[in-house]
Amino acid sequence: MITRLKTRLLVLATVLSCTVAGVAAAADVKPRLIRFGYGLNDESVQGRAARFLAQELEKISGGKLKMKTFGSANLGSDEQMQGALAGGAQEMMVGSTAPLAGMVKEFGVFDLPFLFNSEKEADAVLDGQLGQDLLKKLEARGLIGLVYWENGFRNMTNSKRPINRAEDLQGIKLRVMQNQIALGVFNTLGANAVPMPFSELFTALETRTVDGQENPITTIQSSKFYEVQPFLTITRHVYTPWVVLASKKWWDTLSPDEQKLIRQAAAASRDFERKDSRADSAKAMTTLEQAGMKINTVSPEEVARMREKVQPVVDKYTQELGPELIKQLNDEIQKARN
Ligand code: TK8
């Protein structure tokens, strides 16, 4: 009797521990602590998705893969973190594609203005052949590109005047991301473009070191740019993706089971983040209006004029990035559009 009960208990205990630890128990997964850095604050879309990723990873690894998230560029700007990952000093991060173009120039395709018309087109290209090929190119630079999150369509804010026409940008010192194409585009439109890491931006706007900047609505709201920027102009001039990255040096020390769990959690975070970003964008617009920002939208005719103005920059970088790549890009967009 007693022995039977003991056996039963033993069986029960084994079943329980397997279920609790899930896949991770059987698989080759060691306890690890992963540092994950990002540039925006904890209340941003980025912050919420980082917490989601950490929770998801901990859950599916049975508590073994723990992620500590560091927002507000506490581990450094996008560029600094890219360097830390490549050198193996930090495990993971999420950041914009624009500064990545310094490592793999082809990421510059996402800095070409007025490319995508909708989030759907962006998703198709990012999750399709071109987007995935670009992620693979990162390996030679010491980075593993996992998934794309949405940063989003960018709009302009400034402290001087509403932008109705490109000419209104004359004399405006406009902070741009650290990227050659962005610099060329905004100087050609007539602004005085100033490249600067995001981590220095709020202070630069507050002290009037620069007059304006451009970012998605979600960021303008979460980073409280409305406190120092009275004018918001809806231009949707470019769509910037964020990329979730891992250090290749570190990645190569992981077991295939561990890599699989991280890829799985990253994919779940992508779906969560895109949905959250799109819902947040609509809400953020209302918040910005209530905060007293003066909001205008550039007319489709003016967008067409701006497009024409920046065409020489697009032509220049089409040559530099490779006309075949740009053709593939336009074909994939066209396919998503139809
Ligand atoms: C945050 C940045 C930000 C980007 C920028 O680290 O720099 O303006 O849009 O999201 O990556």
Side-chain angles (χ1 to χ4, degrees):
M1 185 66 201
I2 301 255
T3 2
R4 246 172 65 200
L5 189 66
K6 263 193 191 159
T7 328
R8 274 197 195 161
L9 279 178
L10 197 71
V11 170
L12 189 68
T14 320
V15 168
L16 265 183
S17 70
C18 280
T19 346
V20 168
V23 204
D28 180 10
V29 180
K30 292 191 185 68
R32 293 185 190 268
L33 185 66
I34 303 165
R35 283 162 300 176
F36 183 90
Y38 58 96
L40 303 192
N41 61 36
D42 295 349
E43 287 79 48
S44 67
V45 173
Q46 218 179 28
R48 286 196 291 276
R51 283 194 295 280
F52 176 95
L53 175 60
Q55 281 161 12
E56 184 67 16
L57 188 59
E58 187 156 347
K59 189 176 90 193
I60 64 174
S61 68
K64 287 191 176 168
L65 300 180
K66 289 211 163 55
M67 181 177 273
K68 188 160 166 47
T69 60
F70 297 85
S72 303
N74 279 335
L75 295 183
S77 67
D78 287 7
E79 267 197 335
Q80 288 167 331
M81 289 194 289
Q82 284 166 205
L85 261 62
Q90 180 185 327
E91 293 78 28
M92 288 181 71
M93 66 172 283
V94 65
S96 290
T97 48
L100 261 189
M103 286 177 125
V104 173
K105 71 169 181 187
E106 287 85 354
F107 274 102
V109 294
F110 302 118
D111 299 294
L112 297 173
F114 306 112
L115 201 60
F116 298 119
N117 286 338
S118 67
E119 285 84 2
K120 187 179 137 248
E121 291 175 16
D123 289 355
V125 169
L126 294 167
D127 301 341
Q129 193 66 48
L130 191 138
Q132 298 307 303
D133 285 351
L134 289 185
L135 293 185
K136 286 191 199 100
K137 280 186 193 288
L138 287 167
E139 286 193 28
R141 296 290 163 164
L143 300 173
I144 300 290
L146 292 169
V147 289
Y148 294 100
W149 287 359
E150 172 159 287
N151 184 348
F153 281 103
R154 305 175 80 86
N155 301 292
M156 302 178 193
T157 68
N158 80 91
S159 55
K160 293 209 150 160
R161 61 185 89 97
I163 309 299
N164 287 302
R165 323 169 62 224
E167 286 73 10
D168 296 327
L169 285 165
Q170 294 276 336
I172 289 188
K173 270 194 259 158
L174 190 85
R175 176 271 177 177
V176 298
M177 291 189 283
Q178 292 159 294
N179 174 287
Q180 287 305 315
I181 306 180
L183 194 64
V185 164
F186 287 101
N187 280 333
T188 305
L189 283 176
N192 298 334
V194 185
M196 179 188 291
F198 184 85
S199 44
E200 290 166 25
L201 181 51
F202 188 89
T203 309
L205 293 169
E206 193 175 33
T207 57
R208 301 264 180 144
T209 308
V210 293
D211 306 308
Q213 65 87 42
E214 40 89 52
N215 252 298
I217 299 291
T218 48
T219 299
I220 296 169
Q221 192 256 315
S222 62
S223 290
K224 299 201 163 87
F225 290 160
Y226 54 84
E227 288 181 353
V228 286
Q229 297 275 276
F231 300 103
L232 165 63
T233 303
I234 304 299
T235 48
R236 291 169 66 89
H237 52 273
V238 80
Y239 178 99
T240 307
W242 278 321
V243 199
V244 176
L245 299 165
S247 156
K248 186 170 187 303
K249 265 196 183 160
W250 167 73
W251 185 258
D252 290 345
T253 67
L254 301 178
S255 73
D257 287 333
E258 290 166 336
Q259 293 178 349
K260 208 171 131 199
L261 288 169
I262 295 171
R263 283 197 186 277
Q264 195 182 323
S269 76
R270 172 197 58 209
D271 298 343
F272 168 88
E273 196 273 345
R274 284 181 182 165
K275 219 167 132 199
D276 185 44
S277 163
R278 286 157 203 180
D280 192 63
S281 192
K283 268 188 268 158
M285 197 66 187
T286 316
T287 313
L288 296 180
E289 262 166 24
Q290 283 165 354
M293 276 192 116
K294 292 178 195 67
I295 308 175
N296 75 299
T297 306
V298 283
S299 67
E301 298 75 42
E302 184 55 25
V303 168
R305 269 187 78 229
M306 286 182 174
R307 242 180 218 276
E308 219 169 282
K309 253 185 183 280
V310 296
Q311 193 55 46
V313 184
V314 174
D315 292 343
K316 177 179 170 199
Y317 285 100
T318 298
Q319 287 313 313
E320 219 158 278
L321 300 174
E324 315 78 40
L325 180 69
I326 304 303
K327 184 178 178 307
Q328 185 192 348
L329 174 66
N330 286 316
D331 288 350
E332 288 189 20
I333 295 174
Q334 213 48 54
K335 216 174 106 200
R337 207 163 276 178
N338 294 333

